[in-house]
Amino acid sequence: MPKFSALFFLALASLSLIATAPSPAPQEVRYGFLFSGNRAGEAVSRVEANGERVYTFEFNDRGRGPKTSTRVRLDDKGLPTFVEITGNDYWKVPVEERFEWKEGRAVWKNGSEKEDRELRQPAFYLSLNGPPQETELLARALLAAGGRLPVLPTGEAVIEKVSSLEVKGTGGSRKVDLYAISGLGFTPGYVWLDAERNLFASVGGWAALFLEGWESAVPELTKVQDAAVAARQKDLAAKLARRPAGSLTIRHARLFDPETGAVRPESTVVVSGHRIQAVGPDGEVQVPPEGEVVDAKGKMLLPGLWDMHTHLGEDQGLMHLAAGVTTVRDLANDTDKLLDMRRRWDAGEALGPRVLMAGFMDGPGPFAGPTKVLVDTEEEALAAVDNYARLGFVQIKLYSSLDPKLVPAIVQRAHRHGMRVSGHIPNGMTAEQAVRAGFDEIQHVNFLILNFLPPEIDTRTPARFTEVAKHASELDLNSERVRNFIGLLKERGTVSDPTLVAFEGMFTGRADQLDPSLAMVADRFPAQVRRSLYGGGLNPPADLVQRYRDSYRAMQNMVRALHDAGVTIVAGTDAMPGFSLHRELELYVDSGIPAPEVLRIATLGAARVMKRDGELGTLAPGKLADMILVDGDPTKNISDIRRVALTIKDGTVYDPAALYGAIGVKPAL
């Protein structure tokens, strides 16, 4: 479930550059907005006679999405002196944001900030809820300042040109230039400008903003931009990945065995190439005479972690590895992009974990999920399953707008290919019905709660969150109905992927506080990323705040009940890479699951679910060399899992501190 803010759009929005003698700006410019290849919204920019800028922006993401109106006034350097934003944010929470600079003082107020500051040097105010067009103003100010400029509340932005391209479309042909803006996030954001240095398009990830009438140029722009990103990643991989020339030996480690939950002190592991050669007590394992030796000094050695619910982006691989995540399962993505990303990660051309792929499909409609694979008939559905199987996908993920009548046929065909089937529960179907129809797994714990709520709830919409937030606390987990349902999950071997971390901030967050799922690491992030962690999720009215918190605890209690009943759980996040998996594991322990069992869930348990335990999940001779060294004991204090000192994936060695440094993240203390 993506979280959108003004900082998100800094990576997607345009940067119009100022020329020496700029031509008069048009009175109104329109932009289209694509989300996962589908038309989802629009942006409009207007310059009024008095020079005031007026921007509107909105898009729809399955019933969610922002709708804002922004008014901006600029000084002679292009810096905002007045900003006013109204409307609603991604979660439909009302937005009222205001900034004013006057007589050397900057004053601003939004949902999470209220500041009055003396401004001693020029700076650009970055709004929390502004439209993508705001970045156009930032770029003009940057160019006027020589390419580098302080930003408010803190930090510095830098702009540079990357490459050029001639594109053709219904409007003729245009020369466009690719620019990058950095300093505001983990990685640079990219934008396309035309020869007159006006906004043309901003593409990448799930979204694309483009000058109205030029949608046909988006694929070519994306291809060229992806090549630029790949070149950057290849350079990082060459600097940050290290494959030992000979063997690699780790000595004096406290080895965690997920099979038994035991910790074996003073252990040695020898790696040769991609695989583990030997494992045993110090002194009993022969150390190769030539090769690299790492003295673990009593640190804990574990199999690499698994995140079983991701939606991968180009730069996320580095974040996973830094956190000790060596294998992930991608549960919805652009097929071509995912295949290319995985190929480059496997080849060492970029940094990233092992990737298991799930093919995503939904039914057409106003709440269709972010996919191009929309099926309306059994023939279309089966063809999609066959194609995913041909491409090497190991699982099918179904979504909320899919016609429930198609589920049995999809399950049968997928199982014939040896593929798992999981997903959201299609609207009009209950979780119990999905299990009986052959679902191998259910994503998100809210769908388990919805099994006991009124059937008329439209689960294609955000009601699948809000109704659970209002009523989960009323559910009696000891009732016969709930016990029978959990028993059915156990009987059928149905797996739960609860993604508790995805709901923590949504249900319990407050606009004036850091997202609770990332609050403990926020100080390590770049300043503008840290600022984006305020928002408050669903932001319930005052009389429902405690109920939402109680409902979140009920979700945790459901996860504990599943575990106690022997239902298989996998640790997935659907949230920020790496850091969110650590939090997911902490939430399991907070729910009442013992820490050693939680570590088993995140290693061997995941490998068994995906039928990869013959090569992964434990540290044993012959298995693939995926492991992490942790400075602490997460079997006693699960939060020590955040202190990854060394990551090894497929025999390649990574220093987490160096990986984090490449994206502006401070190492764990």
Side-chain angles (χ1 to χ4, degrees):
M1 285 170 277
K3 178 180 180 180
F4 295 93
S5 67
L7 293 177
F8 168 82
F9 290 111
L10 287 173
L12 302 174
S14 66
L15 307 177
S16 283
L17 304 186
I18 193 166
T20 304
S23 57
Q27 291 301 300
E28 187 170 273
V29 181
R30 292 184 172 273
Y31 299 94
F33 185 78
L34 300 176
F35 190 61
S36 193
N38 302 313
R39 186 64 178 254
E42 66 175 8
V44 179
S45 301
R46 187 173 76 252
V47 181
E48 297 191 339
N50 63 359
E52 189 170 83
R53 269 84 170 157
V54 179
Y55 304 119
T56 60
F57 176 66
E58 66 176 305
F59 79 89
N60 174 52
D61 174 23
R62 298 158 287 174
R64 294 166 272 177
K67 182 177 182 180
T68 59
S69 177
T70 303
R71 304 183 73 87
V72 182
R73 300 176 201 144
L74 306 173
D75 67 8
D76 57 0
K77 295 180 180 179
L79 299 173
T81 60
F82 175 83
V83 179
E84 185 177 66
I85 305 170
T86 58
N88 62 261
D89 68 9
Y90 178 76
W91 291 108
K92 303 302 182 184
V93 175
V95 166
E96 290 187 9
E97 182 168 4
R98 183 184 175 93
F99 166 86
E100 187 169 14
W101 180 87
K102 187 177 182 180
E103 298 179 354
R105 299 200 71 82
V107 180
W108 69 91
K109 182 179 180 181
N110 52 53
S112 59
E113 298 169 337
K114 183 178 181 181
E115 295 206 33
D116 184 338
R117 182 185 304 179
E118 183 178 357
L119 194 60
R120 297 182 179 275
Q121 60 179 334
F124 190 99
Y125 173 73
L126 291 172
S127 69
L128 276 183
N129 298 286
Q133 300 99 307
E134 178 185 70
T135 321
E136 176 175 295
L137 303 180
L138 172 62
R140 289 178 175 151
L142 280 167
L143 266 288
R148 185 182 298 269
L149 189 68
V151 294
L152 292 173
T154 185
E156 184 179 65
V158 179
I159 190 171
E160 61 179 340
K161 184 176 178 179
V162 179
S163 63
S164 301
L165 178 68
E166 187 81 19
V167 294
K168 296 181 179 181
T170 55
S173 63
R174 290 194 186 186
K175 177 180 177 294
V176 292
D177 299 312
L178 179 64
Y179 284 81
I181 185 167
S182 58
L184 305 180
F186 294 122
T187 57
Y190 296 85
V191 67
W192 290 93
L193 312 168
D194 65 18
E196 285 72 40
R197 295 182 170 183
N198 295 315
L199 161 62
F200 186 75
S202 180
V203 302
W206 294 85
L209 188 78
F210 58 90
L211 185 65
E212 196 66 82
W214 287 87
E215 182 176 344
S216 61
V218 170
E220 187 175 6
L221 298 174
T222 302
K223 181 179 179 181
V224 174
Q225 182 173 311
D226 285 349
V229 173
R232 174 181 173 274
Q233 291 178 335
K234 188 172 184 178
D235 181 62
L236 284 174
K239 295 175 181 177
L240 298 172
R242 180 172 59 82
R243 180 169 287 280
S247 63
L248 172 67
T249 300
I250 300 175
R251 303 181 65 186
H252 309 310
R254 302 179 69 245
L255 190 149
F256 173 70
D257 180 7
E259 185 81 60
T260 63
V263 176
R264 304 173 188 168
E266 298 298 321
S267 292
T268 295
V269 175
V270 179
V271 174
S272 179
H274 300 275
R275 296 188 179 271
I276 297 171
Q277 180 178 318
V279 179
D282 291 345
E284 295 184 15
V285 174
Q286 183 175 357
V287 178
E290 295 183 359
E292 180 179 339
V293 178
V294 174
D295 185 353
K297 299 179 180 179
K299 296 181 177 70
M300 183 162 286
L301 190 65
L302 303 92
L305 303 174
W306 290 55
D307 188 334
M308 292 284 276
H309 194 134
T310 68
H311 303 286
L312 295 167
E314 289 285 353
D315 289 295
Q316 293 183 0
L318 183 153
M319 297 178 72
H320 283 296
L321 291 175
V325 179
T326 57
T327 304
V328 300
R329 182 177 62 179
D330 189 292
L331 284 173
N333 219 313
D334 179 89
T335 299
D336 294 333
K337 283 183 177 292
L338 181 60
L339 287 167
D340 180 63
M341 200 183 323
R342 187 179 72 156
R343 178 195 64 77
R344 287 185 288 113
W345 288 356
D346 288 347
E349 297 174 8
L351 302 175
R354 301 179 186 277
V355 181
L356 303 177
M357 304 181 297
F360 184 45
M361 69 175 71
D362 198 8
F367 302 102
T371 178
K372 299 172 185 176
V373 184
L374 300 175
V375 299
D376 204 22
T377 67
E378 183 174 316
E379 182 180 11
E380 292 173 344
L382 297 184
V385 173
D386 291 344
N387 187 56
Y388 279 130
R390 178 183 64 82
L391 293 172
F393 286 67
V394 297
Q395 187 162 328
I396 296 295
K397 180 186 176 184
L398 306 181
Y399 211 63
S400 304
S401 291
L402 185 78
D403 186 342
K405 295 178 183 177
L406 300 178
V407 171
I410 291 172
V411 169
Q412 184 178 26
R413 181 62 64 91
H415 286 172
R416 187 183 304 171
H417 285 297
M419 305 169 78
R420 297 171 54 75
V421 177
S422 71
H424 290 200
I425 306 302
N427 187 52
M429 197 177 204
T430 66
E432 180 174 344
Q433 289 170 337
V435 172
R436 295 189 184 281
F439 264 49
D440 299 293
E441 181 176 335
I442 296 173
Q443 264 71 57
H444 306 302
V445 67
N446 64 316
F447 282 105
L448 304 185
I449 303 292
L450 284 164
N451 189 69
F452 307 100
L453 298 187
E456 61 268 18
I457 295 172
D458 190 340
T459 58
R460 300 172 302 169
T461 74
R464 66 175 177 264
F465 311 123
T466 55
E467 292 303 307
V468 172
K470 292 174 183 176
H471 300 294
S473 61
E474 302 166 2
L475 184 63
D476 180 3
L477 295 179
N478 293 315
S479 67
E480 182 178 2
R481 186 182 177 195
V482 173
R483 291 201 310 271
N484 288 343
F485 173 68
I486 293 176
L488 176 67
L489 297 177
K490 169 64 175 175
E491 174 190 339
R492 297 295 181 94
T494 310
V495 174
S496 172
D497 167 25
T499 65
L500 282 174
V501 70
F503 297 101
E504 185 180 22
M506 191 192 308
F507 281 31
T508 72
R510 290 177 50 181
D512 60 345
Q513 296 179 359
L514 287 164
D515 184 326
S517 64
L518 294 167
M520 63 292 297
V521 292
D523 286 345
R524 297 171 57 190
F525 293 170
Q528 292 297 331
V529 175
R530 182 169 64 250
R531 184 180 180 227
S532 73
L533 301 182
Y534 292 88
L538 294 175
N539 272 310
D543 61 330
L544 290 179
V545 167
Q546 188 58 49
R547 177 172 293 191
Y548 277 40
R549 290 180 176 274
D550 292 343
S551 288
Y552 182 70
R553 173 53 68 175
M555 297 169 88
Q556 288 190 269
N557 292 342
M558 171 65 84
V559 172
R560 168 67 185 272
L562 295 174
H563 171 265
D564 290 350
V567 175
T568 299
I569 295 169
V570 293
T573 59
D574 198 10
M576 183 182 286
F579 299 103
S580 292
L581 182 69
H582 298 159
R583 184 57 179 163
E584 183 79 8
L585 304 188
E586 289 173 339
L587 290 169
Y588 292 171
V589 172
D590 185 61
S591 301
I593 303 175
E597 172 63 12
V598 169
L599 295 173
R600 187 198 65 79
I601 288 171
T603 53
L604 178 59
R608 281 178 171 165
V609 166
M610 301 310 296
K611 296 182 171 57
R612 297 296 302 274
D613 51 309
E615 292 192 308
L616 295 165
T618 59
L619 302 181
K623 287 198 169 185
L624 292 167
D626 285 16
M627 63 192 78
I628 61 174
L629 197 61
V630 174
D631 188 7
D633 187 350
T635 66
K636 295 180 179 177
N637 176 22
I638 191 63
S639 293
D640 282 351
I641 199 65
R642 297 180 180 277
R643 302 169 61 84
V644 179
L646 193 70
T647 299
I648 300 171
K649 175 232 171 182
D650 207 30
T652 299
V653 180
Y654 303 91
D655 175 4
L659 295 176
Y660 280 134
I663 56 174
V665 175
K666 300 174 186 176
L669 298 178

